[in-house]
Short mmCIF file of all heavy atoms in Angstrom, two decimals:
data_model
loop_
_atom_site.label_atom_id
_atom_site.label_comp_id
_atom_site.label_asym_id
_atom_site.label_seq_id
_atom_site.Cartn_x
_atom_site.Cartn_y
_atom_site.Cartn_z
N GLY A 106 1.89 -28.00 -27.21
CA GLY A 106 0.47 -27.63 -27.28
C GLY A 106 -0.18 -27.56 -25.92
O GLY A 106 -0.97 -26.66 -25.61
N ALA A 107 0.17 -28.55 -25.05
CA ALA A 107 -0.39 -28.55 -23.70
C ALA A 107 0.08 -27.32 -22.92
O ALA A 107 -0.67 -26.71 -22.16
CB ALA A 107 0.00 -29.84 -22.97
N LEU A 108 1.37 -26.97 -23.14
CA LEU A 108 1.92 -25.79 -22.47
C LEU A 108 1.21 -24.52 -22.93
O LEU A 108 0.85 -23.65 -22.12
CB LEU A 108 3.42 -25.70 -22.74
CG LEU A 108 4.15 -24.58 -22.01
CD1 LEU A 108 4.04 -24.75 -20.50
CD2 LEU A 108 5.61 -24.55 -22.43
N GLN A 109 0.98 -24.40 -24.25
CA GLN A 109 0.28 -23.23 -24.79
C GLN A 109 -1.16 -23.18 -24.25
O GLN A 109 -1.67 -22.11 -23.91
CB GLN A 109 0.28 -23.26 -26.31
CG GLN A 109 1.62 -22.89 -26.91
CD GLN A 109 1.58 -22.90 -28.44
OE1 GLN A 109 0.68 -23.49 -29.04
NE2 GLN A 109 2.57 -22.27 -29.04
N LEU A 110 -1.81 -24.36 -24.20
CA LEU A 110 -3.16 -24.42 -23.65
C LEU A 110 -3.17 -23.97 -22.19
O LEU A 110 -4.04 -23.20 -21.76
CB LEU A 110 -3.73 -25.84 -23.78
CG LEU A 110 -5.12 -26.04 -23.21
CD1 LEU A 110 -6.15 -25.19 -23.97
CD2 LEU A 110 -5.51 -27.50 -23.25
N GLY A 111 -2.19 -24.41 -21.41
CA GLY A 111 -2.09 -24.00 -20.01
C GLY A 111 -1.88 -22.51 -19.87
O GLY A 111 -2.48 -21.85 -19.02
N GLN A 112 -1.00 -21.96 -20.75
CA GLN A 112 -0.75 -20.52 -20.70
C GLN A 112 -2.01 -19.74 -21.08
O GLN A 112 -2.33 -18.71 -20.48
CB GLN A 112 0.41 -20.15 -21.64
CG GLN A 112 1.76 -20.60 -21.12
CD GLN A 112 2.87 -20.34 -22.12
OE1 GLN A 112 2.60 -20.06 -23.29
NE2 GLN A 112 4.12 -20.47 -21.67
N ALA A 113 -2.73 -20.25 -22.11
CA ALA A 113 -3.97 -19.58 -22.51
C ALA A 113 -5.00 -19.63 -21.39
O ALA A 113 -5.67 -18.63 -21.09
CB ALA A 113 -4.53 -20.22 -23.78
N LEU A 114 -5.12 -20.79 -20.75
CA LEU A 114 -6.07 -20.91 -19.63
C LEU A 114 -5.66 -20.01 -18.47
O LEU A 114 -6.50 -19.41 -17.81
CB LEU A 114 -6.16 -22.36 -19.17
CG LEU A 114 -6.91 -23.30 -20.12
CD1 LEU A 114 -6.81 -24.73 -19.62
CD2 LEU A 114 -8.37 -22.90 -20.25
N ASN A 115 -4.35 -19.93 -18.24
CA ASN A 115 -3.86 -19.05 -17.18
C ASN A 115 -4.19 -17.60 -17.51
O ASN A 115 -4.60 -16.82 -16.64
CB ASN A 115 -2.35 -19.24 -17.02
CG ASN A 115 -1.84 -18.55 -15.76
OD1 ASN A 115 -2.59 -18.36 -14.82
ND2 ASN A 115 -0.57 -18.19 -15.76
N GLY A 116 -4.05 -17.18 -18.77
CA GLY A 116 -4.41 -15.82 -19.19
C GLY A 116 -5.89 -15.55 -19.01
O GLY A 116 -6.30 -14.48 -18.54
N VAL A 117 -6.72 -16.54 -19.39
CA VAL A 117 -8.17 -16.39 -19.21
C VAL A 117 -8.50 -16.26 -17.73
O VAL A 117 -9.31 -15.43 -17.33
CB VAL A 117 -8.92 -17.59 -19.85
CG1 VAL A 117 -10.38 -17.61 -19.42
CG2 VAL A 117 -8.80 -17.54 -21.36
N TYR A 118 -7.83 -17.05 -16.89
CA TYR A 118 -8.07 -16.99 -15.45
C TYR A 118 -7.72 -15.61 -14.90
O TYR A 118 -8.46 -15.01 -14.13
CB TYR A 118 -7.26 -18.08 -14.75
CG TYR A 118 -7.26 -17.95 -13.25
CD1 TYR A 118 -8.37 -18.32 -12.49
CD2 TYR A 118 -6.15 -17.41 -12.58
CE1 TYR A 118 -8.38 -18.18 -11.12
CE2 TYR A 118 -6.16 -17.26 -11.21
CZ TYR A 118 -7.28 -17.65 -10.49
OH TYR A 118 -7.28 -17.51 -9.13
N LYS A 119 -6.52 -15.09 -15.30
CA LYS A 119 -6.09 -13.78 -14.81
C LYS A 119 -7.03 -12.68 -15.28
O LYS A 119 -7.38 -11.77 -14.52
CB LYS A 119 -4.66 -13.49 -15.27
CG LYS A 119 -3.63 -14.30 -14.51
CD LYS A 119 -2.23 -13.95 -14.96
CE LYS A 119 -1.20 -14.75 -14.17
NZ LYS A 119 0.17 -14.48 -14.62
N THR A 120 -7.48 -12.74 -16.56
CA THR A 120 -8.41 -11.74 -17.08
C THR A 120 -9.74 -11.79 -16.32
O THR A 120 -10.29 -10.76 -15.93
CB THR A 120 -8.65 -11.98 -18.58
OG1 THR A 120 -7.40 -11.96 -19.26
CG2 THR A 120 -9.55 -10.91 -19.17
N THR A 121 -10.22 -13.02 -16.12
CA THR A 121 -11.49 -13.18 -15.39
C THR A 121 -11.35 -12.68 -13.96
O THR A 121 -12.23 -12.00 -13.43
CB THR A 121 -11.92 -14.66 -15.39
OG1 THR A 121 -11.99 -15.11 -16.74
CG2 THR A 121 -13.27 -14.85 -14.73
N ASP A 122 -10.22 -12.99 -13.33
CA ASP A 122 -9.98 -12.54 -11.96
C ASP A 122 -9.93 -11.01 -11.90
O ASP A 122 -10.50 -10.39 -10.99
CB ASP A 122 -8.66 -13.13 -11.45
CG ASP A 122 -8.47 -12.88 -9.97
OD1 ASP A 122 -9.45 -13.03 -9.21
OD2 ASP A 122 -7.34 -12.51 -9.57
N ALA A 123 -9.26 -10.38 -12.88
CA ALA A 123 -9.19 -8.92 -12.91
C ALA A 123 -10.58 -8.31 -13.09
O ALA A 123 -10.92 -7.31 -12.44
CB ALA A 123 -8.26 -8.47 -14.04
N ARG A 124 -11.37 -8.93 -13.97
CA ARG A 124 -12.74 -8.42 -14.17
C ARG A 124 -13.58 -8.57 -12.91
O ARG A 124 -14.40 -7.70 -12.58
CB ARG A 124 -13.40 -9.14 -15.34
CG ARG A 124 -12.86 -8.71 -16.69
CD ARG A 124 -13.58 -9.40 -17.81
NE ARG A 124 -13.02 -9.02 -19.10
CZ ARG A 124 -13.27 -9.63 -20.24
NH1 ARG A 124 -14.08 -10.66 -20.26
NH2 ARG A 124 -12.73 -9.21 -21.36
N LEU A 125 -13.40 -9.69 -12.22
CA LEU A 125 -14.14 -9.90 -10.97
C LEU A 125 -13.73 -8.86 -9.92
O LEU A 125 -14.57 -8.33 -9.19
CB LEU A 125 -13.91 -11.30 -10.43
CG LEU A 125 -14.68 -12.43 -11.13
CD1 LEU A 125 -14.22 -13.78 -10.60
CD2 LEU A 125 -16.18 -12.26 -10.93
N MET A 126 -12.44 -8.58 -9.84
CA MET A 126 -11.98 -7.56 -8.89
C MET A 126 -12.55 -6.19 -9.24
O MET A 126 -12.97 -5.43 -8.36
CB MET A 126 -10.44 -7.50 -8.88
CG MET A 126 -9.78 -8.74 -8.28
SD MET A 126 -10.17 -8.97 -6.55
CE MET A 126 -9.20 -7.70 -5.82
N GLU A 127 -12.57 -5.87 -10.53
CA GLU A 127 -13.13 -4.59 -10.99
C GLU A 127 -14.62 -4.51 -10.67
O GLU A 127 -15.12 -3.49 -10.21
CB GLU A 127 -12.89 -4.46 -12.50
CG GLU A 127 -13.30 -3.11 -13.06
CD GLU A 127 -13.03 -3.01 -14.56
OE1 GLU A 127 -12.08 -3.65 -15.04
OE2 GLU A 127 -13.79 -2.28 -15.22
N ALA A 128 -15.33 -5.61 -10.90
CA ALA A 128 -16.77 -5.64 -10.60
C ALA A 128 -17.00 -5.49 -9.10
O ALA A 128 -17.91 -4.77 -8.67
CB ALA A 128 -17.39 -6.94 -11.10
N GLN A 129 -16.14 -6.14 -8.30
CA GLN A 129 -16.27 -6.03 -6.85
C GLN A 129 -16.02 -4.59 -6.40
O GLN A 129 -16.72 -4.07 -5.54
CB GLN A 129 -15.29 -6.99 -6.18
CG GLN A 129 -15.47 -7.10 -4.69
CD GLN A 129 -14.52 -8.13 -4.08
OE1 GLN A 129 -13.61 -8.61 -4.74
NE2 GLN A 129 -14.73 -8.45 -2.83
N HIS A 130 -15.04 -3.94 -7.00
CA HIS A 130 -14.75 -2.54 -6.69
C HIS A 130 -15.94 -1.65 -7.06
O HIS A 130 -16.33 -0.76 -6.29
CB HIS A 130 -13.48 -2.11 -7.44
CG HIS A 130 -13.10 -0.69 -7.18
ND1 HIS A 130 -12.63 -0.25 -5.97
CD2 HIS A 130 -13.12 0.41 -8.00
CE1 HIS A 130 -12.38 1.03 -6.03
NE2 HIS A 130 -12.66 1.47 -7.25
N SER A 131 -16.52 -1.90 -8.25
CA SER A 131 -17.68 -1.11 -8.69
C SER A 131 -18.86 -1.31 -7.75
O SER A 131 -19.57 -0.37 -7.40
CB SER A 131 -18.09 -1.51 -10.11
OG SER A 131 -17.06 -1.19 -11.02
N ILE A 132 -19.06 -2.53 -7.31
CA ILE A 132 -20.17 -2.82 -6.38
C ILE A 132 -19.93 -2.10 -5.05
O ILE A 132 -20.85 -1.55 -4.45
CB ILE A 132 -20.32 -4.34 -6.18
CG1 ILE A 132 -20.91 -4.96 -7.45
CG2 ILE A 132 -21.19 -4.66 -4.98
CD1 ILE A 132 -20.94 -6.46 -7.45
N GLY A 133 -18.66 -2.06 -4.60
CA GLY A 133 -18.35 -1.34 -3.36
C GLY A 133 -18.65 0.14 -3.49
O GLY A 133 -19.22 0.75 -2.58
N GLN A 134 -18.28 0.73 -4.63
CA GLN A 134 -18.58 2.15 -4.85
C GLN A 134 -20.09 2.39 -4.90
O GLN A 134 -20.59 3.38 -4.36
CB GLN A 134 -17.93 2.64 -6.14
CG GLN A 134 -16.43 2.78 -6.05
CD GLN A 134 -15.81 3.24 -7.36
OE1 GLN A 134 -16.39 3.08 -8.42
NE2 GLN A 134 -14.63 3.83 -7.26
N TYR A 135 -20.80 1.49 -5.55
CA TYR A 135 -22.25 1.61 -5.64
C TYR A 135 -22.87 1.53 -4.25
O TYR A 135 -23.77 2.31 -3.91
CB TYR A 135 -22.78 0.50 -6.55
CG TYR A 135 -24.27 0.49 -6.70
CD1 TYR A 135 -24.92 1.49 -7.41
CD2 TYR A 135 -25.05 -0.52 -6.13
CE1 TYR A 135 -26.29 1.48 -7.55
CE2 TYR A 135 -26.41 -0.54 -6.27
CZ TYR A 135 -27.04 0.46 -6.98
OH TYR A 135 -28.40 0.45 -7.11
N ASP A 136 -22.37 0.60 -3.42
CA ASP A 136 -22.89 0.47 -2.05
C ASP A 136 -22.62 1.75 -1.24
O ASP A 136 -23.48 2.21 -0.49
CB ASP A 136 -22.24 -0.73 -1.34
CG ASP A 136 -22.80 -2.05 -1.81
OD1 ASP A 136 -23.89 -2.04 -2.44
OD2 ASP A 136 -22.16 -3.09 -1.57
N ARG A 137 -21.41 2.32 -1.41
CA ARG A 137 -21.10 3.56 -0.69
C ARG A 137 -22.02 4.70 -1.15
O ARG A 137 -22.51 5.47 -0.34
CB ARG A 137 -19.64 3.94 -0.90
CG ARG A 137 -18.68 3.12 -0.04
CD ARG A 137 -17.27 3.71 -0.05
NE ARG A 137 -16.65 3.66 -1.36
CZ ARG A 137 -16.00 2.62 -1.87
NH1 ARG A 137 -15.92 1.51 -1.15
NH2 ARG A 137 -15.46 2.66 -3.06
#
């Protein structure tokens, strides 16, 4: 269960990180 929880948290982290990168890219385009 702890391993599954860690994997789920890792997936949430990666998804959040990808969304943050996408938002940063969008902000860069908006600034340009």
Side-chain angles (χ1 to χ4, degrees):
L108 185 61
Q109 285 181 343
L110 178 64
Q112 288 175 347
L114 287 174
N115 191 25
V117 168
Y118 170 76
K119 287 182 179 177
T120 304
T121 305
D122 189 42
R124 286 182 182 168
L125 283 173
M126 291 297 287
E127 186 179 330
Q129 188 176 10
H130 180 69
S131 296
I132 288 172
Q134 287 179 337
Y135 178 70
D136 284 344
R137 282 192 295 276

